[in-house]
Amino acid sequence: MEKVKVLISKSKVQKRVVELARKISRDYKGKDLVLIGILKGAFVFLSDLARNLSIPVAIDFIQVASYGASTTSSGVIKIKKDIDLPIVGKEVLIVEDIVDYGYTMDYLLKFISHKKSKRVKICALLDKPSRRRVQVPIDYKGFTVPDKFIVGYGLDYGEKYRNLPFIGYLVQD
Ligand code: IMP
Ligand code: MG
């Protein structure tokens, strides 16, 4: 059985999410912004982030399937659920839980850019740069994390731990 240790406390996560929301609210004031959350991992982050914004936004979700072992992605990615909203001419902010190898974000950035939005930027709660294989520009970043398997605040291990209010990492015992 695995155990979870706290990496970033609930209060630190909440404080950082408020800071990111303030910055996004300033940067997108008066603009037509659509947040696109990546299911399932980003659902907690997106819901806290969105509730701290002081500007109106539209919200949609996209889901990808990535084929590989359960704790890594292989780079073979497919769209499982596309967005429903039209984004032509709009500002888009992709909201993701974690960028690890970078395959998922690289794929989605290209996929969403084909939809002729005005601009696409990336907001990732966590950045795990140690294993990066493809460089992706993270415009809004919550925290940089070490090369550990992260769970909580939306992130899972075999669908467990998404509901933890803090960011933790797995240890085997
Ligand atoms: P990438 O293509 O390797 O950047 O994969 C990113 C995706 O892999 C994220 O959306 C997560 O779903 C998953 N992932 C990567 N690292 C972790 C982790 O430490 N914990 C949980 N999920 C992770
Ligand atoms: Mg994910």
Side-chain angles (χ1 to χ4, degrees), residues 69-115:
S70 60
T71 58
T72 56
S73 65
S74 62
V76 181
I77 292 156
K78 277 190 184 166
I79 301 293
K80 235 169 133 179
K81 183 224 168 282
D82 200 350
I83 54 168
D84 300 312
L85 296 177
I87 57 166
V88 177
K90 301 205 170 157
E91 297 276 351
V92 170
L93 189 59
I94 303 177
V95 180
E96 173 62 311
D97 53 0
I98 186 166
V99 180
D100 185 11
Y101 288 155
Y103 292 141
T104 308
M105 197 48 90
D106 180 61
Y107 179 89
L108 280 176
L109 198 53
K110 288 176 185 148
F111 182 81
I112 291 170
S113 299
H114 282 132
K115 293 180 185 284

Side-chain angles (χ1 to χ4, degrees), residues 7-42:
L7 183 66
I8 307 165
S9 69
K10 177 181 173 181
S11 62
K12 285 203 176 116
V13 174
Q14 291 302 325
K15 188 165 167 265
R16 187 73 186 121
V17 172
V18 169
E19 285 170 5
L20 288 174
R22 284 210 183 111
K23 184 155 177 23
I24 292 165
S25 300
R26 275 201 304 273
D27 294 354
Y28 288 94
K29 198 165 186 214
K31 301 198 167 129
D32 208 354
L33 178 62
V34 182
L35 301 179
I36 300 182
I38 306 178
L39 292 171
K40 299 178 197 171

